[in-house]
Amino acid sequence: MGDPLHTVTTLPTARQPGCPFDPPAELIDTRRHGPISRYTFPGGKPGWLITGYDLVRSVLADSRFSSRKELMLHPTIDYGDIEVPPAPPGEFLHMDDPQHRRYRKPLMGKFTVRRMRLLTERVEQITADHLDAMEQAGPPTDLVTAFAKPIPAIMICELLGVPYQDRGSFQEQVGSFMNGETSDEDLIAAYTATQEYLAELVAAKRANPTDDVLSDLTDSDLTDEELKGISLLLLAAGLDTTANMLALGTFALLQNPEQLAALRADPALADRAVEELLRYLSVAKTFMRTALEDVELGGQTVKAGSPVILSYNTANRDPERFADPHALDLHRQDGGHLAFGHGIHQCLGQQLARVEMRVAFPALVNRFPTLRLAVPAGEVALRPEIADIYGVKSLPVTWDA
Amino acid sequence: MDAERCVGSGMCVLTVGEVFDQRQGDGKAIVLRPEPPVETRDAVREAVDLCPAAAIFLSTDRRH
């Protein structure tokens, strides 16, 4: 634990070969030096990198650390003196209270534990449909396109009220925001197309309200611009995160056959298995905050205006919080992972994600008892480390038909 | 339970559904059992710890 002044100058750009589920070795090493390190941002601005569980949690719960977009500094790219504009109306992930609260409040009742559990049957049906299709088409298949992407996509689109026929193109555009490999030009094109689509969707819901979250929200004081921003945030969060959990989670289970066998043998293990996969994989791996005033943190003074990088995936592997943290152990008892964050921004859709995973993982592994990778594990294509959400690009799998 | 602070994450309901629920309208947590049964107390402590908004308060004062 020694040196409290450990300094990190660049964020790792890759994971250890052969360890697709572990945070980059440099970050695990940084945690060994202590839970808080100095980090020099590109361009030379000093800031901090937090890798310890307790400190990440405390920053997330502390209103002296801001999420406002205009205060954020990119952790790996030097944009020089370009001023970052505030978050567009409705995109409340990058706002502080009271603005954040104004948007979150009308949504809270839509994503309750009870409401999400009522969707279980629908998730089961969608999952069964996709498993049937996999079975009919026969092995091999790409689990990402056949299973991991469509299930959460159908759910969030049905909840929000995105028509079925619009889903495909929409999902592709949103995916391009998150995969870390889209050129700036394509990114702008995808963003513009998404904005135009959402503007039309909001107008359509205002004209002809249907039974969905977006239509419900038109019955409030939120403007069209705000509704567009909220929709973008919910769709982006709902489309890409759970999809990556399902695909990467299946990969992790296939690489840990004794854990996979335990899940198959004991249906009652499913809830705990989902929590452990969330902890172990932490696909939403890095978030930023900026100190609004001087804050004492882990024996250091974080000065007002300092940017702070929170490494969720490293915190979720903190040996001081989780016994044998780098092992996938579906029987693990210690809960409280940070995969959905903590504090006022904690994931609004987490109960939906839980229901989806709770249904989809057991259904998949039970339908195909001989499910296995169709390529060597080292050839599974992974998203680059700079992607906002980590995962596999595709997961070729096969089984005995 | 401080409804003003509650962010509707549902962690308390998930952790100990016998003691907490969420209001159907606005998703805010409500306390179903202000004096939780003994067998739920560990889970209630966990719910207090997990609450992302630190909106649940536990008093160990026993008047009964």
Side-chain angles (χ1 to χ4, degrees):
Chain A
M1 302 302 305
D3 182 12
L5 294 174
H6 180 69
T7 297
V8 176
T9 49
T10 50
L11 282 183
T13 54
R15 300 192 172 204
Q16 284 277 89
C19 303
F21 313 120
D22 296 342
E26 297 91 327
L27 287 179
I28 294 174
D29 182 60
T30 300
R31 172 65 193 94
R32 269 189 215 112
H33 284 87
I36 177 167
S37 305
R38 291 190 186 281
Y39 178 70
T40 313
F41 280 71
K45 184 165 172 140
W48 301 90
L49 169 63
I50 319 282
T51 51
Y53 175 93
D54 287 342
L55 286 191
V56 168
R57 204 181 118 118
S58 76
V59 169
L60 290 171
D62 191 335
S63 60
R64 294 173 297 174
F65 288 96
S66 173
S67 294
R68 278 158 57 195
K69 194 172 187 178
E70 67 272 29
L71 301 179
M72 295 302 138
L73 202 59
H74 197 285
T76 54
I77 302 169
D78 179 13
Y79 285 112
D81 291 331
I82 296 175
E83 245 176 73
V84 178
E91 294 184 25
F92 59 94
L93 184 66
H94 298 294
M95 297 177 187
D96 294 338
D97 279 344
Q99 290 82 3
H100 155 268
R101 181 164 288 258
R102 168 175 142 74
Y103 296 115
R104 179 159 177 138
K105 213 173 161 190
L107 292 167
M108 279 161 38
K110 313 286 185 199
F111 290 91
T112 61
V113 172
R114 189 190 298 251
R115 273 203 182 212
M116 296 303 103
R117 281 183 181 158
L118 288 174
L119 297 175
T120 301
E121 227 170 276
R122 179 69 184 131
V123 180
E124 284 169 351
Q125 185 190 0
I126 294 166
T127 302
D129 290 347
H130 286 81
L131 293 173
D132 290 347
M134 276 172 65
E135 205 166 353
Q136 274 159 24
T141 195
D142 172 18
L143 197 80
V144 172
T145 49
F147 184 79
K149 273 169 98 167
I151 295 169
I154 292 170
M155 288 310 297
I156 192 67
C157 288
E158 285 186 358
L159 261 173
L160 203 68
V162 174
Y164 180 83
Q165 65 271 20
D166 300 343
R167 218 182 54 237
S169 61
F170 194 79
Q171 184 162 25
E172 207 169 292
Q173 286 157 10
V174 171
S176 68
F177 301 156
M178 311 283 210
N179 65 19
E181 292 191 307
T182 308
S183 69
D184 287 353
E185 201 175 294
D186 289 349
L187 211 54
I188 291 166
Y191 188 76
T192 309
T194 305
Q195 290 292 332
E196 281 167 10
Y197 174 73
L198 289 175
E200 282 170 30
L201 186 66
V202 168
K205 297 294 176 189
R206 271 213 199 280
N208 296 301
T210 36
D211 184 18
D212 50 61
V213 169
L214 186 53
S215 296
D216 286 356
L217 290 178
T218 59
D219 196 20
S220 69
D221 63 349
L222 295 164
T223 65
D224 285 4
E225 279 299 305
E226 291 175 316
L227 292 175
K228 252 171 62 184
I230 292 173
S231 305
L232 180 64
L233 180 56
L234 295 187
L235 283 164
L239 287 171
D240 203 54
T241 48
T242 311
N244 279 292
M245 270 303 301
L246 288 175
L248 192 66
T250 302
F251 185 18
L253 288 169
L254 292 173
Q255 293 302 96
N256 289 270
E258 68 299 334
Q259 298 296 318
L260 176 54
L263 179 61
R264 279 199 182 106
D266 181 8
L269 192 57
D271 285 324
R272 194 159 276 168
V274 167
E275 298 306 316
E276 173 63 352
L277 286 165
L278 283 161
R279 180 199 72 86
Y280 182 71
L281 300 171
S282 299
V283 296
K285 57 198 165 49
T286 314
F287 284 82
M288 303 293 299
R289 292 290 187 273
T290 297
L292 294 172
E293 53 186 89
D294 291 1
V295 181
E296 294 298 317
L297 196 65
Q300 307 294 328
T301 303
V302 176
K303 293 274 189 199
S306 295
V308 177
I309 304 171
L310 303 173
S311 178
Y312 283 23
N313 55 346
T314 319
N316 274 338
R317 299 289 191 93
D318 187 336
E320 285 185 26
R321 178 64 179 75
F322 300 101
D324 198 7
H326 303 300
L328 176 69
D329 175 8
L330 302 188
H331 290 94
R332 189 180 287 279
Q333 301 282 341
D334 37 11
H337 63 71
L338 298 171
F340 291 121
H342 189 68
I344 62 168
H345 289 280
Q346 193 184 55
C347 181
L348 177 73
Q350 60 179 296
Q351 308 303 348
L352 172 61
R354 283 192 171 96
V355 168
E356 290 170 345
M357 287 185 273
R358 168 75 181 74
V359 169
F361 281 125
L364 172 70
V365 301
N366 291 325
R367 175 73 73 99
F368 300 108
T370 58
L371 189 74
R372 58 190 178 271
L373 292 179
V375 296
E379 287 175 23
V380 172
L382 303 161
R383 279 193 177 181
E385 204 51 30
I386 54 161
D388 285 339
I389 308 291
Y390 183 66
V392 295
K393 294 184 198 175
S394 64
L395 190 71
V397 293
T398 188
W399 61 89
D400 298 339
Chain B
M1 183 56 234
D2 184 342
E4 206 37 53
R5 299 175 78 131
C6 176
V7 294
S9 76
M11 287 311 293
C12 54
V13 186
L14 192 73
T15 308
V16 50
E18 310 96 289
V19 176
F20 300 98
D21 200 354
Q22 281 167 286
R23 294 200 295 236
Q24 285 308 290
D26 64 7
K28 298 257 188 189
I30 47 172
V31 180
L32 299 174
R33 309 276 300 264
E35 288 178 33
V38 177
E39 66 275 13
T40 64
R41 283 189 185 158
D42 284 347
V44 170
R45 272 186 212 101
E46 195 187 346
V48 171
D49 179 57
L50 289 177
C51 176
I56 311 168
F57 302 93
L58 189 63
S59 154
T60 48
D61 174 31
R62 290 187 189 201
R63 277 165 292 179
H64 303 284

